[in-house]
Amino acid sequence: MASGGGNYRNGTHRNSLKGTTTTATDKPLSVNSNLSKPALKNKSLSSVGASSGLRKSSPGSLGGGTAKDDAGVPGRVRVAVRLRPHNAEESVADADFADCVELQPESVLDGYNGTVMAYGQTGTGKTYTLGRLGEEDMADRGIMVRAMEDILADVSLESDSVSVSYLQLYMESLQDLLDPTNDNISIVEDPKSGDVSLPGATLVEIRDQQSFLELLRLGEAHRYAANTKLNTESSRSHALLMVHVKRSVKGREPAHSSENGNSTNIAKSLRPPLVRKGKLVVVDLAGSERIDKSGSEGHTLEEAKSINLSLSALGKCINALAENSAHVPVRDSKLTRLLRDSFGGSARTSLVITIGPSPRHRGETASTIMFGQRAMKVENMLKLKEEFDYKSLARRLDIQLDKMIMEHERKQKAFEDEIERITADAQNQISEAERNYADSMEKERLKYQKDYMESIKKLEEKWMLNQQKQGGERKEHMVFTAEEVAEVKKLLSKETSLRKAAEEEVNNLKSQLAQLKISEASANSEILKLRKMLEDEAYQKEKLEGEISMLQSQLLQLSFEADETRRRLDRGGPGKVPGGLDSLISQVRPQLNESGNGEKASIAKLFEQVGLQKILSLLEAEDADVRIHAVKVVANLAAEETNQQKIVEAGGLTSLLVLLGSSEDETIHRVAAGAIANLAMNETNQELIMSQGGISLLSMTAANAEDPQTLRMVAGAIANLCGNDKLQTKLRGEGGIKALLGMVKCGHPDVLAQVARGIANFAKCESRASTQGSKTGRSLLIEDGALPWIVQNAHNDASPIRRHIELAICHLAQHEVNAKDMISGGALRELVRISRNCSREDIRTLAHRTLTSSPTFLAELRRLRIDY
């Protein structure tokens, strides 16, 4: 494609292209769009004009509208013209002719919003304008790269999200450029709002500019291109880059509930945050071409017919819209269905028409400009899309609920601990009092008993002495007896005092015991009161959980009613908003039951409501139908990169491998292998699959499978593992290469494409290892007998198979030790053919460099007398 760079600033493409003409009889066409902003010169194109030494001729007039008209109607389609300079062929062929187009010095193409589309003849710079990555020169970046730079600079990745899909419309088949196996994406139109969606397309979240560039490289590698007389790299498909931006509206988020826990206040203050959703569609249309000029034939001719038919359908729609026709034939082509919102819809659309200066294509140039002129008459009804973010509100409620439950559990535990402490203290006090009372009573009893025995003994001794004194006088005896009586009275009085003291002590102890019993009764009453409080807390908890569940149901109902209201407002009719949770559930339940059909919205809802652990547990269910539905749900979740790490951490990968080895159901084998293939795109997961015997299980599944789709999934998983440098030896040792080669007997193109991709990945890793010096000896692919099949399929009609085979041959040839096997196996002639005729320049360059750097190959070419 001829160079024709442009300058961009802040996401706005400003291109000042000066064309120059020679003096001749033909009068050039003039394209003039007066815009208010000053022109920015393009160095590369200005230098072309300056060096040619040519002189401008007087311009003709071919109207294209003015900036005043564009600014006067905000929804009108904006049109800009981009003129590339002469390429090398035109500089020679058109030396004696005047340019058919002259650009005035005003600036062209000022701004984009919603849809940016490039239209023009093949070879005039559409892909150059939109898709250049600018890796060598930042000034060469295209609109796709610059638009993403502005978007990422203006959003906050903490609260906003940016995701992209990259598609191509080839031969009326919508294909995913980020996942080439997804080659038949359906277009879904909302019958009420008319919105167009692509539920089967890969949607990748963008976090930085580098990841976006990698996605663009991946997508461009899968685009169809061909060599024609008009363009050596002619795009054979329409490419569509869809950028989805979701932004939170700051400063309009409702206040949260108060801290008193009142559920009524929570319900009154329940308001979801507001978000804005926008979609930027960048469309690189395939170039229109005349068959007699492009020289297309065979399959390339069929591609050209399909391209011209779709562009013709687009032109009919624009004519109908420009003339305010009652019928717009948007359903005549998938291209017009995809662009339904861009022309006559609700998007702001900018159209870049690209033309060339060659007089040989005067008719095509005039037709392109007339197309732009008609497009400028189309007016769109611009609409800002704002929605309530109910998912964010639900997450916030879940967090609040978790906090409340944790706080309740903490208080309940502290309460139970306090009850146990009070009960233990009371029991200890009672036991201590009873023990002290028993000890005191025992001591007193022993003391009184001892004193009593001593008194009896003394009395007995005295009585014996009195009995022995028979001869004493009566007087003395009476005196002695009076003294004894007095002493006995004294002892009795003492005994009485001691007994009273003992009784007082006993009464005191009884009083203490009664007081302790009163304290115990009070403690028991307090315990009963605390238990009642605990029961009340449990009841309040159940009541609160019920109210929260009711609020969540009301939230779901509000979401449905808001969506229904928005649809009715979009249709222009007020209508009556349906209400009631029963009607909502009756509409949601069929979607949940159809989770096995791959509907991502239903799967996401099921994931949020049920939870990953419960879904994974169903993989071990006894019911076969339950297992099949569960593995389909896991496979759909695994297709999303954001879910893959969660699945692996929850043991989902291990469950899938176990299910793959234990089940005999073909459907389970197919879906489980597809899920493993998605998870195998991550290097860490690849090592985990290998460590759990994944290659052996996949090889066994391939040997027993008959369904081509099952074989395609298994081959895709092994192909992903083949791209890991660390796993080469182990993968081959466990039969991975032989399993791939065993699947080629199926003959299905999709299976062969995955086998070829796996062999190309394996050969690339081997080439890298041999270059780094970590591998010696022949290729493991050659040792396992893959070379004959590689040579046999080097001419395969399917371009994905042929492209991977050509890459594999180039990588195998880079290691000199493989040269003799490749010569004897016929791979050398294929390598020469690839270096000359391959449609991709990077593969041709790699083949040429490999041939010229190998002494063995050069010697064989001289022996065969092949000039190179």
Side-chain angles (χ1 to χ4, degrees), residues 44 166 176 185 253 262 294 379 413 456 688 768 866:
S44 62
Y166 202 10
D176 196 333
I185 300 175
E253 191 164 334
N262 192 315
S294 64
E379 297 181 8
K413 187 177 184 304
I456 295 298
L688 186 61
R768 188 185 301 118
I866 298 176

Side-chain angles (χ1 to χ4, degrees), residues 145-146 148-149 152 207-214:
V145 177
R146 294 176 184 268
M148 183 55 68
E149 287 179 352
L152 292 177
R207 307 294 296 178
D208 53 61
Q209 186 71 8
Q210 186 60 36
S211 63
F212 176 67
L213 293 177
E214 292 296 331

Side-chain angles (χ1 to χ4, degrees), residues 474-633:
R474 181 69 177 174
K475 185 177 181 179
E476 292 178 358
H477 178 71
M478 292 178 66
V479 172
F480 180 73
T481 302
E483 291 176 357
E484 289 180 349
V485 171
E487 187 174 357
V488 170
K489 289 181 178 179
K490 184 177 180 182
L491 289 173
L492 289 174
S493 176
K494 184 177 180 181
E495 289 290 336
T496 302
S497 300
L498 290 174
R499 186 170 184 82
K500 288 181 179 180
E503 289 177 352
E504 290 178 358
E505 184 67 21
V506 169
N507 292 332
N508 187 26
L509 290 175
K510 288 181 178 180
S511 175
Q512 292 181 5
L513 180 60
Q515 190 66 30
L516 288 175
K517 288 183 178 180
I518 293 173
S519 299
E520 180 182 6
S522 176
N524 290 334
S525 176
E526 186 69 21
I527 290 172
L528 292 175
K529 185 184 297 184
L530 292 176
R531 284 179 178 174
K532 187 176 184 305
M533 291 175 60
L534 181 60
E535 291 175 356
D536 293 340
E537 287 288 336
Y539 173 74
Q540 291 296 331
K541 175 185 175 182
E542 292 178 359
K543 182 178 179 181
L544 182 60
E545 290 175 349
E547 291 177 352
I548 292 176
S549 176
M550 181 182 66
L551 290 176
Q552 289 179 337
S553 299
Q554 294 175 354
L555 175 63
L556 188 60
Q557 182 177 354
L558 286 175
S559 173
F560 172 76
E561 293 176 352
D563 291 342
E564 184 67 19
T565 301
R566 176 176 56 79
R567 295 191 187 100
R568 292 180 179 274
L569 290 177
D570 289 342
R571 294 199 304 268
K576 181 180 179 181
V577 179
L581 185 59
D582 294 337
S583 61
L584 174 62
I585 295 176
S586 65
Q587 297 180 37
V588 173
R589 184 178 291 110
Q591 297 181 6
L592 297 179
N593 292 335
E594 295 173 0
S595 60
N597 297 328
E599 296 293 337
K600 292 186 177 180
S602 299
I603 295 299
K605 187 180 294 295
L606 183 65
F607 182 33
E608 293 178 1
Q609 293 183 354
V610 178
L612 181 58
Q613 289 291 348
K614 292 184 179 179
I615 295 175
L616 293 178
S617 65
L618 295 179
L619 295 176
E620 303 175 359
E622 296 181 359
D623 192 333
D625 291 337
V626 173
R627 291 198 304 272
I628 291 174
H629 284 294
V631 75
K632 285 182 179 179
V633 173

Side-chain angles (χ1 to χ4, degrees), residues 269-449:
S269 63
L270 187 62
R271 295 292 185 275
L274 193 64
V275 296
R276 288 179 179 173
K277 292 184 178 179
K279 179 174 69 174
L280 171 64
V281 181
V282 183
V283 186
D284 181 11
L285 295 174
S288 60
E289 60 182 64
R290 290 186 178 178
I291 306 304
D292 56 345
K293 292 184 178 182
S294 64
S296 299
E297 57 184 12
H299 186 67
T300 307
L301 176 59
E302 297 300 323
E303 292 175 336
K305 291 180 180 178
S306 177
I307 292 171
N308 289 339
L309 284 175
S310 61
L311 292 178
S312 175
L314 178 60
K316 291 178 181 178
C317 290
I318 290 179
N319 288 341
L321 290 170
E323 296 172 0
N324 293 323
S325 175
H327 172 67
V328 180
V330 294
R331 305 194 66 83
D332 287 357
S333 170
K334 286 189 177 180
L335 177 62
T336 54
R337 291 176 64 192
L338 288 170
L339 299 180
R340 182 175 184 177
D341 194 46
S342 302
F343 289 100
S346 60
R348 182 187 296 273
T349 301
S350 297
L351 173 66
V352 182
I353 57 173
T354 59
I355 57 177
S358 176
R360 292 182 298 161
H361 309 307
R362 175 184 296 270
E364 291 86 338
T365 300
S367 175
T368 300
I369 296 175
M370 293 300 293
F371 179 90
Q373 185 179 23
R374 290 191 299 271
M376 291 182 66
K377 298 179 181 179
V378 178
E379 297 181 8
N380 295 344
M381 298 296 294
L382 305 184
K383 181 175 65 176
L384 182 64
K385 186 176 182 181
E386 291 186 346
E387 296 181 355
F388 290 116
D389 191 358
Y390 292 101
K391 291 184 179 180
S392 175
L393 179 60
R395 288 194 298 271
R396 190 174 68 199
L397 287 176
D398 288 338
I399 294 174
Q400 292 180 354
L401 176 60
D402 292 339
K403 289 182 178 180
M404 294 174 66
I405 292 175
M406 291 176 61
E407 180 66 17
H408 175 73
E409 291 177 349
R410 185 187 64 80
K411 291 182 178 180
Q412 181 177 356
K413 187 177 184 304
F415 176 71
E416 293 176 351
D417 293 342
E418 183 66 17
I419 289 177
E420 292 179 358
R421 186 189 65 79
I422 294 174
T423 303
D425 290 344
Q427 292 292 341
N428 292 335
Q429 292 179 5
I430 293 172
S431 300
E432 184 68 20
E434 291 177 348
R435 186 168 56 254
N436 292 336
Y437 175 74
D439 292 342
S440 299
M441 292 296 293
E442 182 67 18
K443 288 180 181 178
E444 289 296 326
R445 186 184 67 79
L446 293 176
K447 179 180 178 183
Y448 293 151
Q449 183 177 5

Side-chain angles (χ1 to χ4, degrees), residues 141 209 706 778 813:
R141 293 168 297 165
Q209 186 71 8
E706 297 179 357
R778 289 196 310 164

